[in-house]
Amino acid sequence: MMDSRLLRLLPVLIILLAGLFSLRWLTIDDNALDLLPGEAVQGDLRLLQRLGLVDRVFLTLTVKDGGLPAAERVRLLQKNAVVVGAAFADSAAFNEVVFRLPQGYEFGVYNEIQPHIPALLDQQDLVALARLTSEGGMTKQLAADFNLLNSPAGIALKRQVQQDPLGITTLALAKLRHLQAEYAMVVMDGFFISKDRQSCLIMAESRTPLTDSQSAEQVERVVEGVLALVAGEVEGRVIGSLPHTLANARSIQRDLKILLPIASFLLLILLLVTLRDVRAFFVLGIPFLAAPFAIGLVNLVFGRISALALGFGIVLLGIAVDFSVHIYLALRRQEGSTAQVLATLRRPLLLATMTTSGVFIVLFFSQVASHRQMALLALVGVVLAVAMSWLIIPLIRPARRSTTMPRGWFFRLQPQKGRSLILLGWLLLMVAGALSWPALKYNGDLRVLDAPDARVLADEEHFYRTWGRPADQAFVVASDRSLSAALERNSDVYALLQAHDVQRVQSLAPLLPGPLVQQGHIEAWQQFWAERPDFKHHFSVVAQAQGFNAEGFQPFFSWLEQPVSPFSAESLLAGPLAVLARTLIRPPVAGATGVDGDFLVVTNVTMEEGLYETLLDFSEQQDGIHLLTNQKWRQQVERLLRHDIMTLSLAAGLVIVIIVSLALRRWRLVLGALAPVGSALAAMAIYSLVSQGELNMMHLLMGIMVIGLSVDYGIFMVCRSGEIAAMQAITICACSSLIGFGVLALASHPALNSLGITVLVGIGAAWPTALLVTPVLAGEQP
């Protein structure tokens, strides 16, 4: 006997120790990328992260006392912005901080751009220049210059007027407006101040991804420490990915902290009332001995495991508890020796394990990365857990065996009469489900799984009131191994937008065109002046008429005669506008391949009617052009989600139909075993339609799980017809699932809420179907 026990325990002990040992290398990665389906969608988000758009923190400093004079408010804001900006810059948490432009940046920008103006002026600018160089234009401009030089500011501007009497530089400087994002602000002494002089804007880019809750918590501590430095008269509010990631993580933690104790208490009551044996608690814990090995294997295969996959994968592993319950109750209630009882369990356990495993194998083909990790964790865990339960549970002697029907309404659900009425009701449910399925809607917007709290919403509303509510935007990214080629492609994007008269654009292209575009500008500039050989004479005549000494403008003519050099990206990135330019130009990742090894140049466009289709066609036809927009992501996610739900659900259904058909052979038995699955799917479809809900990726995950649970109910009911232990086990398993998962229907977080409702509706329909409908369909006698 001792040898037999050791032989049974030894494999379990080896697997458990191997699993625990493998956890030494466990890497948990809590990242929103794992929720995205398809490489294209994930690639788009990685591009956004490289551009700093996902991991950027937007901090608004606001003076609490609006009654202070505007000048005093601005000074207070600037003083605190310097403190915050310097603290952010000194922190290891951020690698790019934008809180002000360099002091004296206006003159720095003028000196930087002035030598390269001919390379920046496009055809529209040359039309304006033609007006300036006409007799009327020169007269008007020189008259204005004369008045300016005779004003108190004239002494400081004398040299500027000598170098550019016609204001040609103004044409180039006008292009700076395309560097400004769509915020209602003014630049005062280099600081970004709101129009009401009440707030100041600071932007900082995190070094670590803010879609990861652990990274977000670390960055939050840095932000809170910096805000502690702010004067009491000023408050700071943060928006962006950071507060959303933290709000979601804390919402889930808060829900689980409240709901898990409730579920545990209810499960405890259920087990005490139904099993009345303390040994059952040890039996229920046996399947989770397989968790360490399954987790370690997932970590080995994928190189990491997402927190979402770890959490829900262990929940999916809980399905294996159903098998241990069947084994335990059979040993407790069925007549015969342990070997005889186990012999009657072998067929249904093997068949149920095969169908459950088949469902998880189907989930491997999901386009969501975390789903594939969950599938491997659950598959390995369930197979090992069933084996462990088979080995260990017979070693636990049940307290007693009883063949009498337990008291309680949930153990007396066999159809004693009204078989035709039961069958008719089930058929109506199936027809209603089939009619509801085509009308279901799919929502690929990840914001449906977002749960910002009241503070996050209030801070965002404050931001929008201060800086303007953003319209729907698109990011058009030009990429190439060469920065020059990327800038050339970026100029093509800008030309397309200009051709469609799109005005609200943030782009480098007007200020830093591609090399070929700049060469074209230089040639057009030279042609412009070649067509005006007498310009110097006409200018001198007009200048003298306005009271100027024509010789005083020699610097201007010398500039016109100088060779023109293109404006380089290196000059821009080293100049006073570098902090703004770096938000639109990203260098390649060292040693990376593909897009990650390219330079990225981004154009931010406010979407207008019909523009999406234009940009989408352009990005599909041009190499190195990537369109990033919520509309595109939503369409892609909805298409992939619809594909996954339809394809994987049908595949899972086909797998279990094939397995059950080959095992049971008789069509009535097959139909009876599959009836709970049909009821679960029909009920979930009807509920979604009636509640006007939209399917998301959580429904796919839990729908697959419900299929796996439901078919097990039907298999055990068919294979162990009339056995009290089987009916009791099905009921206990269903009730435990309804309690454990159904309580999540009370969760405030939409992801947990979707999970709970899906299981509640699906299992709520599958359980009575297994007890009432399956015997009728299988042809069993009451």
Side-chain angles (χ1 to χ4, degrees), residues 426 430 653 656-658 660-661 664 669-679 710-711 714-715 718 769 774 777:
W426 181 75
M430 297 302 295
I656 63 174
V657 167
I658 292 174
V660 172
S661 298
L664 300 181
L669 295 179
V670 172
L671 185 59
L674 297 178
V677 177
S679 296
S710 302
V711 71
I715 289 172
V718 168
T769 299
T774 294
L777 293 176

Side-chain angles (χ1 to χ4, degrees), residues 100-112 189-190 575-577:
R100 74 170 300 181
L101 299 176
Q103 291 182 336
Y105 76 95
E106 300 92 341
F107 295 105
V109 170
Y110 173 83
N111 293 330
E112 182 182 30
D189 194 23
L577 298 178

Side-chain angles (χ1 to χ4, degrees), residues 163-346:
Q163 290 181 334
D164 185 16
L166 297 182
I168 299 176
T169 306
T170 305
L171 297 177
L173 292 178
K175 301 178 183 298
L176 293 176
R177 72 180 186 277
H178 291 288
L179 288 181
Q180 183 175 341
E182 290 296 317
Y183 296 132
M185 65 170 62
V186 292
V187 180
M188 302 182 66
D189 194 23
F191 294 90
F192 309 107
I193 306 297
S194 61
K195 291 185 176 180
D196 61 3
R197 309 299 192 267
Q198 194 77 22
S199 302
C200 179
L201 180 63
I202 297 173
M203 294 173 286
E205 183 182 337
S206 170
R207 294 182 184 273
T208 55
L210 295 183
T211 52
D212 184 297
S213 62
Q214 294 181 352
S215 297
E217 288 179 353
Q218 294 173 358
V219 173
E220 182 192 38
R221 288 193 287 270
V222 174
V223 172
E224 289 179 345
V226 171
L227 290 181
L229 305 175
V230 174
E233 304 91 334
V234 177
E235 65 175 356
R237 294 172 180 252
V238 173
I239 73 161
S241 303
L242 175 65
H244 278 268
T245 298
L246 293 172
N248 278 282
R250 289 165 182 170
S251 175
I252 292 175
Q253 293 170 3
R254 185 167 55 251
D255 281 338
L256 295 180
K257 184 178 180 180
I258 296 174
L259 297 177
L260 286 183
I262 295 175
S264 300
F265 176 75
L266 293 176
L267 285 172
L268 177 63
I269 297 300
L270 171 68
L271 295 175
L272 287 175
V273 170
T274 56
L275 300 180
R276 301 176 185 177
D277 186 354
V278 70
R279 305 183 193 192
F281 298 107
F282 298 100
V283 171
L284 295 178
I286 289 174
F288 292 98
L289 297 177
F293 186 89
I295 294 170
L297 183 61
V298 172
N299 188 70
L300 176 64
V301 171
F302 292 95
R304 62 186 179 87
I305 183 170
S306 74
L308 183 67
L310 181 61
F312 285 125
I314 293 177
V315 168
L316 295 177
L317 179 57
I319 295 175
V321 171
D322 292 2
F323 297 97
S324 64
V325 168
H326 280 282
I327 296 173
Y328 175 78
L329 289 178
L331 289 171
R332 181 177 182 181
R333 294 191 173 278
Q334 284 185 220
E335 294 288 352
S337 65
T338 298
Q340 292 173 330
V341 173
L342 291 179
T344 65
L345 286 173
R346 187 176 292 111

Side-chain angles (χ1 to χ4, degrees), residues 326 413-415 422 426 429 671-680 709-722 726-727 729-731 734 762-778 780:
H326 280 282
L413 291 177
Q414 290 193 84
I422 290 173
W426 181 75
L429 174 66
L671 185 59
L674 297 178
V677 177
S679 296
L709 284 171
S710 302
V711 71
D712 291 347
Y713 299 161
I715 289 172
F716 278 103
M717 197 66 191
V718 168
C719 292
R720 303 179 64 201
S721 174
M727 295 177 58
I730 290 172
T731 301
I763 299 301
W767 167 36
T769 299
L771 296 181
L772 294 172
V773 179
T774 294
V776 176
L777 293 176
E780 300 169 6

Side-chain angles (χ1 to χ4, degrees), residues 432 436 439-440 682-693:
S436 300
L440 298 180
M684 289 188 292
I686 294 170
Y687 175 81
S688 180
L689 183 64
V690 171
S691 64
Q692 297 182 339

Side-chain angles (χ1 to χ4, degrees), residues 684 698-699 702-703 706 753-763:
M684 289 188 292
M698 294 304 299
H699 291 102
M702 302 318 299
V706 168
N753 183 265
S754 296
L755 186 156
I757 291 178
T758 301
V759 176
L760 195 63
V761 173
I763 299 301

